[in-house]
């Protein structure tokens, strides 16, 4: 469903500090499966994830979604994709400080113009399933690492996206919590979601839930 | 509710949360902002109130006042002048006025003693202005003793208190009978302080004034419209002066507000990135920040304007007394009725709220149109 064709990404192009983070990657991310991008730090995993999730455009090459080339689309269109097709779980979670867990979870749904009641119903369903219901009114800065990640996952799911993108999801978790994360991954896969993660954690890469591991080094596939 | 309205509601909710989260910064901004509106609005309301007082004052003024000059100084007018002017063509009526100032050492102020042209109080009584009545705690029937020109005590009982519709006019006024006035100041019959003329055709006022000057070369006719212009010029000048003094402060505020509003904190920039990454449109973020700017500035505006209104209405703009000292010496204590002029309110609103809202938007826009991939690297 997601297809990368000879994708390249340069930072600071044309300047003395020009850097090619991704150098010609072609890849198919299978639908409703779990794919992991594995590679050492600085190999371009995060950059590749931003290109898939339409957070940035490739310098050259194509990104196709459902057979449609999205790399040349308007910013408005890409924003719509980020809102409806993708759910992001950032490495540092990027919850908005000062807001409650519930408010954070509802944030991506604000532009939809739903009523507050509908918003809260959605948020609570997700928090319930992720075991966070009792923290719904807690401010996010009071959460533990595992709780913060689950709040971030709930936020990624609130608009019911087809694709979940997670950057180093277990980097801040101990083994126990990492296993818990894999349980969630299994549930999401069972619901028919497509998952794409970056990781160099063997626990993730060798997990039975993972269907495909793609190696990356110096911006190219291994 | 339509989805668009729902959307705006969510954005406002988010904004209110955001304001609460940056309490210190927003509170400081609110205070400075409200203070500036307060000062500007005070000046505007105060001069507007003074203008109104002047207009009321002059509405009652005669079309032409005729004074007599002796050796370049104002002197009493003989009754013969009055007869002469009454017969002048174009003059509807001519009347002799009696008025003068009385310095009261107790209140350290000048009262205006006057014989009204119609319905004078009976001899031995007076009608007093509200300020005077308040100062001496006078009620109807009370007796106040003033000193005559030759030092005798001159008791007058209060027949009535004058209404307060124009504080500047009536504040220090004492109305007495003609006989009392002449006895009090020692002015013999047949002499007046000045003469007032009513003119039949308003367009002939200037012509009549010329005729007065020609027929009675020792007089000086004063036309109401000229006084009006002088007053207007005086108020404009005062207001202008205050505004110039204030413009420095306003400029300083603008710079501060611009700096505060345009400098996004790292936290805010991060937040914008996150919101964009999770699917907020650039327009949502701009709308959200616009709401934020509007909430702060509208609230500050209301706060400042209200404070200014109270300042002028209840405290007679006491903070500006040094600048407007002329008035306060002449009229020791007058209550002003501030006039809320919609156009003025709108101008002030536009000049303070609009630049601020704009200042908040520019940096947000710059930050919001950037690629949101930076959020991945935090
Ligand atoms: N915004 C940026 N500007 C300049 N260089 C960047 C930027 N983002 C990433 N890089 C560089 O691109 C390379 C790939 O980074 P990244 O995709 O984060 O790798 P990984 O996630 O595998 O650690 C690194 O060398 C990194 O320093
Ligand atoms: Mg990375």
């Amino acid at each position: 469903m997601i297809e990368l064709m000879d994708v390249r990404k340069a930072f600071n192009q044309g300047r003395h500090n020009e850097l090619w983070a991704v150098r010609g990657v072609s890849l198919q991310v299978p639908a409703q499966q779990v794919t992991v991008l594995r590679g050492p730090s600085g190999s371009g995993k995060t950059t590749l994830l931003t290109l898939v999730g339409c957070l940035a455009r490739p310098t050259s090459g194509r990104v196709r979604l459902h057979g449609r080339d999205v790399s040349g689309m308007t910013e408005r269109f890409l924003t719509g994709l980020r809102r409806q097709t993708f759910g992001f779980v950032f490495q540092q979670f990027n919850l908005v400080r000062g807001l409650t867990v519930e408010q954070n979870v509802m944030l991506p749904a604000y532009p939809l113009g739903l009523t507050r009641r509908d918003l809260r119903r959605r948020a609570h369903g997700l928090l319930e399933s992720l075991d966070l219901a009792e923290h719904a009114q807690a401010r996010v800065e009071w959460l533990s690492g595992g709780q913060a990640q689950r709040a971030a996952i709930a936020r990624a799911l609130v608009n019911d996206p087809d694709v979940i993108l997670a950057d180093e999801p277990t980097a801040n978790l101990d083994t126990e919590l990492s296993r818990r994360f894999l349980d969630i991954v299994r549930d999401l896969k069972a619901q028919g979601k497509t998952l794409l993660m970056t990781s160099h954690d063997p626990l993730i890469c060798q997990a039975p839930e993972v269907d495909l591991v793609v190696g990356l080094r110096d911006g190219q596939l291994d | 509710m339509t989805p668009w309205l729902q959307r705006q509601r969510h954005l406002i909710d988010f904004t209110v949360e955001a304001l609460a989260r940056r309490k210190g910064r927003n509170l400081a901004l609110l205070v400075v902002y409200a203070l500036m509106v307060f000062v500007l609005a005070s000046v505007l309301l105060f001069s507007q109130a003074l203008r109104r007082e002047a207009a009321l004052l002059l509405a009652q003024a005669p079309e032409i006042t005729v004074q007599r000059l002796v050796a370049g100084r104002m002197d009493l007018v003989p009754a013969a002048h009055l007869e002469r002017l009454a017969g002048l063509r174009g003059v509807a009526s001519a009347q002799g006025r009696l008025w003068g100032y009385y310095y009261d050492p107790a209140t350290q102020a000048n009262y205006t003693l006057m014989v009204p042209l119609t319905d004078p109080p009976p001899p031995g009584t007076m009608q007093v202005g509200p300020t005077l009545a308040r100062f001496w705690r006078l009620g109807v029937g009370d007796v106040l003793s003033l000193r005559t020109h030759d030092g005798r005590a001159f008791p007058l009982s209060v027949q009535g208190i004058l209404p307060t519709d124009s504080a500047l006019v009536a504040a220090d006024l004492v109305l007495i009978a003609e006989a009392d006035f002449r006895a009090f100041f020692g002015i013999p019959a047949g002499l007046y302080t000045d003469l007032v003329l009513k003119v039949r055709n308003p367009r002939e006022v200037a012509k009549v004034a010329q005729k007065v000057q020609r027929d009675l070369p020792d007089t000086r006719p004063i036309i109401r419209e000229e006084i009006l212009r002088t007053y207007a010029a005086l108020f404009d000048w005062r207001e202008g002066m205050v505004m110039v003094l204030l413009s420095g402060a306003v400029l300083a505020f603008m710079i501060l507000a611009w700096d505060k509003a345009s400098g996004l904190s790292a936290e805010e920039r991060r937040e914008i990135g996150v919101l964009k990454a999770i699917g907020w449109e650039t327009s949502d973020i701009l709308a959200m920040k616009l709401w934020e700017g509007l909430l702060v500035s509208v609230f500050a505006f209301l706060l400042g304007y209200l404070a200014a209104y109270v300042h002028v209405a209840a405290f007679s703009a006491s903070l500006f007394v040094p600048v407007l000292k002329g008035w306060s010496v002449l009229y020791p204590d007058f209550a002003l009725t501030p006039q809320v002029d919609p156009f003025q309110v709108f101008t002030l609103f536009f000049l303070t709220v609009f630049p601020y809202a704009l200042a908040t938007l520019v940096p947000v826009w710059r930050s919001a149109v950037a690629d949101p991939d930076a959020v991945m690297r935090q």
Side-chain angles (χ1 to χ4, degrees), chain A residues 11-12 19 21 40-47, chain B residues 377:
Chain A
F11 291 109
N12 309 315
L19 187 142
S41 180
S43 58
K45 304 184 295 293
T46 300
T47 306
Chain B
R377 328 225 164 248

Side-chain angles (χ1 to χ4, degrees), chain B residues 333-349:
Chain B
D333 175 24
F334 55 86
L336 290 171
T337 318
Q339 294 292 290
V340 178
D341 174 359
F343 176 73
Q344 212 173 58
V345 173
F346 178 79
T347 309
L348 195 62
F349 182 82

Side-chain angles (χ1 to χ4, degrees), chain A:
Chain A
M1 71 164 310
I2 300 167
E3 214 178 335
L4 305 181
M5 295 159 75
D6 194 24
V7 163
R8 294 162 196 273
K9 177 71 177 177
F11 291 109
N12 309 315
Q13 197 179 14
R15 274 182 271 166
H16 66 94
N17 54 352
E18 177 174 303
L19 187 142
W20 287 89
V22 176
R23 312 160 183 240
V25 170
S26 298
L27 172 71
Q28 296 211 359
V29 180
Q32 305 190 331
Q33 296 198 356
V34 180
T35 307
V36 172
L37 296 171
R38 181 185 60 191
S41 180
S43 58
K45 304 184 295 293
T46 300
T47 306
L48 205 54
L49 209 60
T50 64
L51 296 177
V52 171
C54 300
L55 288 165
R57 294 165 207 262
T59 310
S60 71
R62 289 181 201 292
V63 178
R64 296 174 82 147
L65 186 69
H66 298 302
R68 192 169 173 193
D69 186 358
V70 295
S71 24
M73 291 295 183
T74 63
E75 180 55 35
R76 206 183 162 81
F77 182 84
L78 297 184
T79 305
L81 282 183
R82 290 198 295 272
R83 180 165 63 236
Q84 262 138 15
T85 307
F86 297 107
F88 295 93
V89 182
F90 304 103
Q91 185 170 0
Q92 302 300 332
F93 312 137
N94 282 341
L95 297 169
V96 176
R97 293 164 58 83
L99 296 185
T100 64
V101 172
E102 182 192 54
Q103 285 167 329
N104 262 282
V105 173
M106 294 188 304
L107 275 184
Y110 279 177
L112 301 181
L114 301 171
T115 65
R116 187 145 283 261
R117 245 199 30 235
D118 285 347
L119 279 182
R120 295 187 72 158
R121 211 181 7 236
R122 275 197 198 193
H124 274 263
L126 287 168
L127 291 174
E128 201 80 56
S129 70
L130 287 164
D131 233 357
L132 267 180
E134 60 188 295
H135 298 291
Q137 300 309 325
R139 293 187 166 236
V140 288
E141 51 268 38
W142 299 342
L143 299 180
S144 70
Q147 290 166 341
Q149 188 187 54
R150 277 178 285 141
I153 293 172
R155 187 176 70 180
L157 293 174
V158 75
N159 285 344
D160 196 22
D162 291 337
V163 185
I164 316 291
L165 303 175
D167 195 17
E168 311 274 358
T170 58
N172 300 309
L173 304 183
D174 61 20
T175 310
E176 166 77 24
L177 286 170
S178 299
R179 285 193 201 288
R180 180 104 189 260
F181 173 77
L182 283 170
D183 290 344
I184 297 171
V185 167
R186 191 177 336 105
D187 288 347
L188 292 175
K189 188 175 157 189
Q191 290 167 30
K193 306 279 186 202
T194 303
L195 283 100
L196 178 63
M197 302 184 268
T198 70
S199 187
H200 51 241
D201 183 355
L203 191 78
I204 295 284
C205 298
Q206 289 157 21
E209 290 83 2
V210 173
D211 302 290
L212 176 66
V213 175
V214 179
L216 207 63
R217 184 173 289 276
D218 299 329
Q220 289 175 311
L221 296 186
D222 264 345

Side-chain angles (χ1 to χ4, degrees), chain B residues 3 11 23 35 55 112 130 148 150 172 183 261 270 277 288 302 347-348:
Chain B
L11 294 184
K23 234 180 264 141
L35 207 66
T112 307
T148 62
D150 49 5
D172 68 343
R270 196 185 81 105
M288 185 261 289
L302 289 180
T347 309
L348 195 62

Side-chain angles (χ1 to χ4, degrees), chain B residues 280-330:
Chain B
W280 281 39
E281 310 240 352
T282 305
S283 64
D284 291 325
I285 291 163
L286 288 178
M288 185 261 289
K289 285 291 171 181
L290 192 65
W291 282 120
E292 185 178 318
L294 276 179
L295 284 179
V296 170
S297 51
V298 169
F299 189 57
F301 180 83
L302 289 180
L303 212 67
Y305 199 85
L306 217 68
Y309 190 92
V310 172
H311 177 216
V312 172
F315 302 101
S316 302
S318 51
L319 294 179
F320 293 140
V321 161
V323 185
L324 300 142
K325 196 141 191 177
W327 285 105
S328 49
V329 168
L330 206 54

